[in-house]
Amino acid sequence: MSTRWGFFRSALALSPLLVGFPLLSNWKHYDLPKPIADVIDNVTNVPQVSEYAILEHARYLSEDVGYRTVGTREHALGDAWMVQQAYALQTLCEEAVSAEPGRKLECEVWHQVGSGSHRFDILGKRLYKTYVNLTNIVVRISDGTPAGKKHAALANSHLDSTLPSPGAADDAIAVGALIEAARTLIATRGWEPHHALILLFNNAEESLQDGSHLFATAHPIRNTVRAVINLEAAGTSGPSLLFQATSSAMVAAYAQVPRPFGTIVAHDVFSSGIIMSDTDFRQFELYLGVPGLDIAIVGHGYFYHTRKDRVQYIEAGVAQHMGETAYALLKFLASKESPLLELSGGHEKPQTVFFSFLGAFFIKYSFATAISLHAVLFAASIALISSTPTSVSASVAVLEKKGAENIRRKVPEVSAPSNIGISIFKGILLLSTACLAAVLSANMVALFMVHVLDRPLSWYKAELSCLLLYGPPAFTGALASLNFLGPLFFPTSTNNISNTERTLLQSVLLSYIVIASVVQLAGIGSAVLLTMTAGALLTGLLFDRARGGNRVSLGTYALGQTTPLFFGTELFSTLTDIFVPLSGRMGAEAPAENLVASLTVFSAAYSAPLLLPFFARFGSVILKRALLILTLVTAATITIFSQRDPFDVMHPKRVFVVYNENITTNAVSLGVGTSDIAPGFNTFVQDIAVFLANTSRVGNTGATLKVNTTPMRVEMHEYNGDWDVLYPFSAFLSPYEIALEPYVSAYALGGDPEKTFTVRAINDVVDAAAATRSLTLIIDHPGLIWTTIAFDAHVLSWSLDDDPPTKHARHFVKEASFYGEDKWSIDLVISLHDLPSSSPSSPENMKDPEELVRPHALRVNFVGVQEAAMWPGKAADKAKGGRAMALLEELDAWLEERSQGAVDAMLLGCVGGVIDV
Ligand SMILES: *[C@@H]1O[C@H](CO)[C@@H](O)[C@H](O)[C@H]1NC(C)=O
Ligand SMILES: *[C@@H]1O[C@H](CO)[C@@H](O)[C@H](O)[C@H]1NC(C)=O
Ligand SMILES: *[C@@H]1O[C@H](CO)[C@@H](O)[C@H](O)[C@H]1NC(C)=O
Ligand SMILES: *[C@@H]1O[C@H](CO)[C@@H](O)[C@H](O)[C@H]1NC(C)=O
Ligand SMILES: [Zn+2]
């Protein structure tokens, strides 16, 4: 190209790529299969997975049954429904066999009931879970022979839903998908499983994985499990994402699904723990030691664990995608080609790089291949760079010596390696500075939004919009570095513009390939992102080299930007799908704004690796103009974004309300917390207090309510007994407390003994010589669920596990049990050394300190949720919830009106106290 195109013409020429690739990538990212209604194809008569059937199951569970919180009546109804479904599958099996005599197919059903306890560390806290008579429904599909049952693939979903949610996506849709996948397989004529499939419909995941613990530690067929597939949901739209894969053979199995959607990057992000969440997968890994695949719906995470997790909000095609994925995996794992027998080695850190592409391709290769690939890319890059002529003045000089040396005319001069080395080093320094400047400028804007304007989370309603706010400052920072350092590093006296441009291109290439190699050598498969870019850049530069000439061709940019644009868009969509909704539940103190700003810069930098060379191409006038424009754009977007409210009906704010009756002090209070950094929460709580003060009657109970109208900010620590129901998540809520008029709770001692919430000790023996006290702590909690106790002691041994902390510590034990189970216990042997030998100072306002306090007493905080007082889960039966429920109902109606539906509140009626035993 002899005529040199200017900036605008060049940018225009590249724009189809710059716009088209991200659009294509984004479209494919969210693309879903067409929902199918019929359970049998009406033309071919072949059974098929039907979204309609899956959603019917999800609708039944989430609407006809409702909020299936562990321990509630609805939870028991969900259990009963699933038992019926399991037997229906068994009947289907039997009918299929009688229709096709000789077909090797058997379905067995278990209704597992069991009690247990397990340690469950979460959010950096050591926690124990106990459970009484929780249930699982298990269906095994096999060929009916012992050999066929010897090795099985486990597929898991959970029936229960979390405290404030009907759980249509989380996880009823997965329950439906497994039922539907099983139905399709059984109904397929001639299909016989070579290896068994175990479908686990576990009925306690949200209470911290008790159901999967029960299966993995106590079910008679648990030891036949070789691999697990876990289906989950943290959102309501888009394809189901493969986000954990713990064996290469299982990654290979995933290649069988019709529409693969998953990448090692998601795996690495999830396993880093930054998402602060966990699935049943953990129990199978811990107690069965098997590898597997963890798959979840992640799009539109705003309704995750809210009351809006309803079928009506689930995007069309989501269920179809999950159902077809489950079906394909189960079919493959049950087949003769199944990798189940190779999987005896347990789970492993991934050794396979994998990613899906355009929703149709699934690419995977081993880490060893990745390392070789990097070696090849590196060698090729070095060869290319060292053979590329850098000095235009040199070739011009050659041309000028007309006729003298005709050979040298054709061979442009190659400058000395050390010169190239120094230039590239400067190039890399410039690029690193630009990246740093981009991160800093975006984060400065983030701090400005939070601390100066007080407008954090302005991008919350639209996942991708953070690019508009943080892209411009990031680019400003990067280009400013080029503007200031460029002339310093590459003075025009010794270099011309084309040289600088080419050197920068080579620096980008080398940086990517070196970082990719280092990351891959560290065992992190996400290096593939960098490999992709390096590959594209190398292609672009090879093209440039082959083409020859002084100017770098625009074609080099077109080629070099292909994979970065493609995978960058994918990366950005995945990260924002996860982290933008997450910023609404990360806690009121979390650096959510900076996190989102940083990941935006990260994705933008990844998507535009050739930004600096491109600007270097046009010289400083264009660069300065671009800087001016970007600065203006930054100011404009800050202004526009600062006008935006973070929340609306489709992206509600999460609020946590705990109405607490203290049966030790008779104090009644309303705790109100939030889990995001949006401003104005203080005013919000003040308004609640005013509203309550103005509400002279509570519902139709006739009770009057007086309010101490100044809500107190509660400092969270391990002794806020009234927040223990939500421990350790309570640490994220920065709650306020509004004191209400005291009264004697229906659960208090001295009332109906059938209804009294107590903690007591039996088998109580003090061994003075050994300085120990052994006891069985009994917790009676009629009508209360999710009870938690907390106490300080040096525990020497207990019935929870073999390994209590070896020193005096605060212990938290949480319970979740089946509907109607109202008693649990733990055995303890504690050291007397740090228990009070006489009366410890009793909490203020205690009813009767004399009675409560005794020598060697163990002070136990206890709290639970009233099964009948959870709004809106128990709205259909609200009369049973008494005062608490009446107040929560009124409060919810008021919140709904005040926020115009932009608040999703979890409202719990709790009861608790403290006692010395
Ligand atoms: C078969 O099913 C499709 C899709 O549900 C429908 O459009 C079509 O009319 C059906 N054909 C017959 C012959 O029933
Ligand atoms: C569990 O249920 C069974 C049967 O209903 C009952 O006998 C038992 O006492 C319950 N509790 C525990 C702790 O197993
Ligand atoms: C208090 O209640 C009265 C009557 O229902 C209403 O008119 C008034 O606006 C309320 N005030 C506040 C601050 O909510
Ligand atoms: C009840 O009040 C006592 C005394 O103030 C306190 O220590 C305890 O944490 C409270 N418990 C609950 C559940 O409110
Ligand atoms: Zn779930």
Side-chain angles (χ1 to χ4, degrees), residues 260-282:
F261 184 63
T263 114
I264 182 124
V265 182
H267 175 108
D268 287 342
V269 169
F270 188 85
S271 54
S272 74
I274 184 172
I275 297 176
M276 307 182 293
S277 100
D278 215 338
T279 71
D280 283 324
F281 207 66
R282 164 162 164 181

Side-chain angles (χ1 to χ4, degrees), residues 45 216 290 335 454 518 732 901:
N45 258 340
V290 297
S335 72
D454 202 13
V518 170
F732 289 89

